Amino acid sequence: MARSRLAYEYTEAEDKSMRLGFLLIAAGLLSLLGLGCCWLRPALQERGGGGSANCTVLAVRQLGERFACTFSCGAACRGTARYPCLQVLVRTSRSSAPALLHEDERQLRTNPKCSYIPPCARDDQENSENVTYKQKYWKEKVGLQPFTCYFNQHLRPDDVMLKRTHDETVLLHCFLWPLVTFLVGVLIVVLTVCAKSLAVRAEAIKKKKHS
């Protein structure tokens, strides 16, 4: 029994390999739990009850109200500027009622009253020009052409999004890489144990032949 236990003692390299494997297993599990609780669950809740539809522009307008945004002009330089509110009203193939279009879920949360938030510039006039350019784009280039939009009847029934922040690819990567880390860790541990077991058996067979 003593000889058997001594034969199964791992070398320094094998011990490091086992530690690396267990570390990857723990990292994969913690990543899955962390992403599931902090990011994946809210993302799935946003997607729940949602779907895609065909949208057609009904009206494009600027409101008189202006909103504040924060610009950065250096490491220690920050300030506040203002931009006009652009609203793009659309009709979806799911409903005849008009809906307010937004760039994505992030823009909707930042300013639910407007359809577009320009990159914040220091000059208010530059912000106004960016919004006016976007207004012309929706009026002249898109016009009455249908396009794909996304909605969520449970969270925001009166709003639609031009694109999703959390699409299938992001959700796939959210699961894929922690799972790959976990499987690589399991593989390292299994291979190390199997290699050690084969080495011990080979040594035992060699001793039997010489005895």
Side-chain angles (χ1 to χ4, degrees):
M1 288 295 292
R3 290 179 181 178
S4 178
R5 288 177 182 173
L6 183 62
Y8 271 94
E9 288 184 358
Y10 291 100
T11 64
E12 184 179 354
E14 290 168 340
D15 186 59
K16 288 182 179 180
S17 179
M18 292 287 286
R19 289 181 182 180
L20 175 62
F22 286 123
L23 180 63
L24 290 176
I25 291 173
L29 289 175
L30 290 175
S31 298
L32 282 174
L33 290 174
L35 289 172
C37 295
C38 302
W39 192 88
L40 184 59
R41 186 178 176 183
L44 291 176
Q45 287 177 347
E46 285 185 4
R47 292 173 59 83
S52 61
N54 288 328
C55 283
T56 306
V57 176
L58 291 177
V60 184
R61 64 193 182 190
Q62 283 192 34
L63 302 182
E65 188 175 0
R66 286 178 170 262
F67 292 87
C69 64
T70 303
F71 64 86
S72 177
C73 50
C77 176
R78 295 173 67 87
T80 302
R82 306 189 74 82
Y83 65 92
C85 181
L86 175 67
Q87 288 189 337
V88 181
L89 299 177
V90 299
R91 178 186 289 117
T92 70
S93 56
R94 298 270 181 163
S95 173
S96 58
L100 183 61
L101 180 69
H102 299 272
E103 291 283 327
D104 52 27
E105 289 96 340
R106 186 179 293 108
Q107 184 269 311
L108 172 60
R109 290 192 297 267
T110 303
N111 190 343
K113 196 171 183 178
C114 304
S115 297
Y116 174 67
I117 300 177
C120 193
R122 190 169 187 170
D123 185 11
D124 290 357
Q125 181 62 32
E126 185 176 346
N127 292 326
S128 298
E129 290 174 357
N130 288 334
V131 172
T132 301
Y133 174 82
K134 203 70 173 180
Q135 182 179 7
K136 290 181 179 179
Y137 168 81
W138 283 106
K139 276 187 175 181
E140 300 174 4
K141 292 190 177 181
V142 178
L144 299 178
Q145 297 178 12
F147 58 92
T148 302
C149 60
Y150 302 92
F151 63 93
N152 193 313
Q153 294 177 343
H154 297 331
L155 295 180
R156 305 287 302 196
D158 299 327
D159 298 276
V160 294
M161 272 71 66
L162 185 62
K163 58 184 178 181
R164 282 173 171 163
T165 304
H166 307 111
D167 58 9
E168 289 80 1
T169 304
V170 175
L171 297 180
L172 174 64
H173 284 287
C174 185
F175 268 121
L176 178 62
W177 297 115
L179 184 61
V180 168
T181 303
F182 173 79
L183 292 177
V184 169
V186 171
L187 184 62
I188 290 175
V189 172
V190 170
L191 289 177
T192 303
V193 172
C194 289
K196 186 63 178 179
S197 178
L198 291 174
V200 169
R201 290 183 182 181
E203 185 179 353
I205 293 173
K206 185 178 179 180
K207 287 182 179 180
K208 284 181 179 181
K209 288 181 179 181
H210 290 286
S211 60

